[in-house]
Each structure stands twice: as C-alpha cells, then as structure tokens.
Amino acid sequence: MALRRVRAALRELRPLLLLLLLLGPWPAAGHGGKYSREKNEPAPPSKREPTGEFRIEKLNQLWEKAQRLNLSPVRLSELHADLKIQERDEFKWKKMKSEGLDEDGEKEAKLRRSLSVILAKYGLDGRKDTLSTNFLNHGPEDDSLEDPRLEKLWHRARASGKFSSEELDKLWREFLHHQEKVREYNILLETLSRAEEVHENVISPVDMSHVAEDALRSRHSELKDRLRDISQGLDRLQRVSHQGYGTEAEFAEPRVMDLWDLARAANFTQKELESFKEELKHFEAKIEKHNHYQKQLEISHQKLKHVESFGDQEHISRNKERYALLEEKTKELGYKVKKHLQDLSSRISRARHNEL
C-alpha cells in the first residue's frame, strides 16, 4: 500500500522533473545567478580608460582645447610632441612614486613646472603672450624681437653685409631660440616665486620643513643653470653678430650648438666627447628631417584650404589623405626629436654632476 503511494507520487512529479531538466543547468551559487551576490551588489567602479590621443585625461583635455584655439598645423604637431614627452615623464614619475622614491616631491614639482611651460608656450594658460617659436611662420622678414638688445644686434648683423641669405636664416633661428630660452626662464622664475610664497605662509612639521627647503634650493640651482646658459648664449650672439660665421662652426642648428657648448664644458673624457659629437651629428640630421616635414605639412595645409574652396570631391579627398599622412609623420618626428634632446641633455647633466 505504501509502495503504491510512493509510485503515484513519483508519477505526479515526473512532469516537473522533466521541466527542470529542460530549463537547466542551474547556475552555481555566487556565480552570476539571478539572486547571487554579484547580481545584487553594485560592482566596484572600474577606472575608465581615457579615450583620445593620450593615456592621461588632463593631457587629452589640453589637446582638445588647443584644437579649438585655431593653432597652425605645425604648432599643433609641436604641442603634440611636448604633451607626449610630458606623458612619458608622468608615467616614469608614477613608477618612481610606487617604488617609494621622490620623497621630497622634487620630481613631481619639476613635472608641474614643465607643464606650466607648455601651457604658456601654446597659449593654454589663458594669457595672450604665448611663446611663439615657429620658425616657419616667424621668419627674418618679420624683423621683430622682444628684447631691445637682441633687436639691435639683429639689425646690425643684417646691415653688416657679413652674412649670406642662408646665414641670416641660421642667425635668425639662433635669435628666436635664445628668446624662447629667456621666456621659459621667466615662466620658471614666476613659478618658483609662487612656490616660495606658499612655503613662507605654510607651517610645516619641523621634520618636513627641510624637505621643502631642499626642493626650493634645487629649483634655484636649475634657474642658475638656465641663467648661465642664457648669458653664454647672449655672448655668442654678440660675437657672431659682429664677426660673422667662421669656418670653424661645428653645427648649424641652435639646439645642437647649445648641447655642444655644454658638452665641452662638462666632465667628458676626450673619447666620450668625440662619441657625443658624432651623436650630435645624427641628432642634427633628425632635426633637419623634422624641419623638412614641418614645411611640407604647412604647404599641404595651404594647398588643402585652396582645394576645399575650388576643387572637386575626389581632389579634396586625395589632399586630405596626404595631409593626414604628413601630420602623423610630423608628430612622430617631433616626439623623437624632443625625446632625443631630453636624453642628450640628461647625459650632459649627469657628466656635470659627476664633476661636482
């Protein structure tokens, strides 16, 4: 009798069991079921990867702002290279910080200073007096320099008859390069002045005050080095403006000439100096290649504007494609030039440090 009741119950359950088998398999507890913890508790917020040219959101924001400022294609490509270097340095600093280095915060402060220079250089700080150092849009015919001493030297050099047209172009690039160094120095000086005001008005724990003072001392040392470099550069411009270019000139590009002067004054052996000189020749060739692409980009931009006004759609499409390729190549070379400059400057700095 009991057995008959069990069999009857099983017969009644059979359709339900069949239905469950058809709907299966059941999700395991804690692995995404309807009532699991994962489904009912909010997931931890994941870090949103920035979308755009850069992996750091604030740099993307600066890049987008710059594109709204109607900068020339060459200026934009220069900015892109500067922001790429900034990005590289910021990632290096984050790695240092994670390893417990940069306790005094000097590297972080240096990053802020370099970003301040970029903001001022491209008019991203809201001021009108941007650092305009585009040699393509600011040639000798513009005939205007900010420092009266430089302008007087330039006019004297032009009137002397000692320079060929090519040498005048070269000298003009030296004058603009010197002007850029002076303006960067002034930006850093202003940044340091603000930092000192903060330091004077903030009461720090006794065991931390020396850290801030060491950082300020380091920044003063950087400014002294830059001021010495500016003074030497002015002496050179005065000498060249009066005497002309001699046959002994090693390099034509102002940045390379600066590096060579610094290298000869550093603690390099003769063999190291010769090796460095060879590397500077390669660096100068890289700069010349970059300059060539900058000029081609500017020409392509002007041609594209012209074609967009009068050309057919197929012609416009071809010019846009060429312009995009030149733009990408110019950005890439600009980054390589600035990275190489940074690496060469660091080698000189280490050699001078070893001397001390």
Side-chain angles (χ1 to χ4, degrees):
M1 191 69 150
L3 185 58
R4 196 178 299 132
R5 279 200 297 268
V6 170
R7 284 174 180 169
L10 286 173
R11 276 196 301 272
E12 289 173 7
L13 285 173
R14 192 177 295 161
L16 180 59
L17 290 170
L18 182 60
L19 180 63
L20 291 173
L21 286 171
L22 289 171
L23 292 173
W26 289 15
H31 289 80
K34 181 178 178 181
Y35 300 106
S36 65
R37 182 179 299 171
E38 287 89 341
K39 291 287 183 182
N40 290 282
E41 286 185 2
S46 58
K47 279 193 175 181
R48 185 172 62 86
E49 282 295 321
T51 56
E53 290 282 323
F54 305 95
R55 291 177 291 165
I56 297 175
E57 189 59 42
K58 69 179 177 185
L59 301 184
N60 274 324
Q61 289 169 0
L62 289 174
W63 177 244
E64 287 164 11
K65 181 179 179 181
Q67 289 176 308
R68 294 193 296 270
L69 289 179
N70 204 24
L71 296 176
S72 74
V74 172
R75 290 287 285 161
L76 274 175
S77 70
E78 283 287 300
L79 170 62
H80 191 275
D82 279 334
L83 291 177
K84 276 289 181 189
I85 292 292
Q86 182 76 17
E87 180 181 60
R88 170 180 178 251
D89 290 346
E90 293 217 11
F91 277 118
K92 281 169 70 175
W93 170 75
K94 283 178 182 177
K95 186 173 184 296
M96 283 179 62
K97 192 178 179 185
S98 70
E99 293 169 354
L101 303 174
D102 194 33
E103 289 183 3
D104 60 359
E106 176 52 28
K107 294 287 183 187
E108 184 180 9
K110 194 169 184 179
L111 278 173
R112 284 200 299 271
R113 293 198 296 275
S114 68
L115 190 59
S116 295
V117 170
I118 291 172
L119 293 175
K121 187 175 179 179
Y122 298 97
L124 299 170
D125 59 353
R127 300 184 185 186
K128 292 181 180 178
D129 56 332
T130 61
L131 282 170
S132 180
T133 56
N134 182 5
F135 303 143
L136 297 175
N137 296 336
H138 194 186
E141 65 279 0
D142 291 341
D143 211 26
S144 59
L145 293 160
E146 293 171 0
D147 189 332
R149 291 175 302 172
L150 292 182
E151 195 146 333
K152 188 176 178 182
L153 280 176
W154 170 244
H155 285 304
R156 187 182 297 164
R158 285 189 73 176
S160 69
K162 295 176 183 175
F163 299 91
S164 67
S165 175
E166 188 178 322
E167 285 174 334
L168 277 175
D169 284 342
K170 176 182 172 181
L171 183 61
W172 180 248
R173 289 200 304 274
E174 285 202 57
F175 273 104
L176 288 182
H177 178 60
H178 183 82
Q179 183 170 269
E180 179 183 8
K181 289 193 294 186
V182 171
R183 296 193 71 183
E184 286 191 6
Y185 171 82
N186 289 333
I187 292 166
L188 291 172
L189 184 62
E190 186 183 339
T191 305
L192 180 62
S193 298
R194 287 199 301 267
E196 285 183 328
E197 284 175 18
V198 171
H199 176 62
E200 286 171 5
N201 294 322
V202 171
I203 302 172
S204 300
V206 176
D207 59 340
M208 288 299 294
S209 60
H210 73 282
V211 173
E213 286 168 9
D214 288 346
L216 288 172
R217 200 175 297 117
S218 169
R219 292 171 211 174
H220 274 294
S221 177
E222 181 187 352
L223 281 172
K224 277 177 65 179
D225 288 344
R226 282 179 179 258
L227 192 57
R228 182 170 58 243
D229 183 28
I230 287 168
S231 178
Q232 289 170 352
L234 184 59
D235 288 345
R236 172 186 161 71
L237 285 173
Q238 287 172 332
R239 188 174 64 254
V240 172
S241 298
H242 285 97
Q243 299 173 7
Y245 285 111
T247 53
E248 78 285 351
E250 300 280 357
F251 302 101
E253 164 59 41
R255 283 169 289 183
V256 182
M257 287 190 284
D258 273 356
L259 288 170
W260 180 234
D261 288 343
L262 289 169
R264 284 186 297 180
N267 193 28
F268 284 125
T269 65
Q270 191 59 37
K271 188 176 178 181
E272 286 171 336
L273 197 59
E274 286 300 318
S275 172
F276 196 80
K277 185 178 178 181
E278 285 302 309
E279 192 165 348
L280 286 178
K281 288 177 183 177
H282 293 301
F283 180 50
E284 188 165 57
K286 192 180 286 184
I287 290 174
E288 287 167 0
K289 186 177 180 182
H290 180 229
N291 289 343
H292 168 74
Y293 270 92
Q294 283 186 318
K295 287 172 186 171
Q296 292 303 308
L297 180 66
E298 190 66 35
I299 292 166
S300 178
H301 178 61
Q302 295 302 327
K303 189 175 179 181
L304 179 59
K305 285 201 299 186
H306 177 76
V307 168
E308 283 176 335
S309 301
F310 302 104
D312 60 88
Q313 199 55 46
E314 186 181 345
H315 204 183
I316 291 170
S317 180
R318 281 203 306 271
N319 277 273
K320 277 186 175 179
E321 189 176 334
R322 172 170 168 71
Y323 175 76
L325 288 170
L326 282 169
E327 185 182 37
E328 202 55 42
K329 187 66 178 175
T330 308
K331 285 179 187 175
E332 179 192 330
L333 281 169
Y335 171 71
K336 286 180 178 177
V337 164
K338 289 179 187 291
K339 181 178 178 296
H340 202 166
L341 174 62
Q342 193 181 57
D343 294 343
L344 291 168
S345 300
S346 295
R347 280 176 59 186
I348 292 171
S349 189
R350 286 196 298 271
R352 290 173 70 177
H353 182 73
N354 291 339
E355 186 180 5
L356 298 174

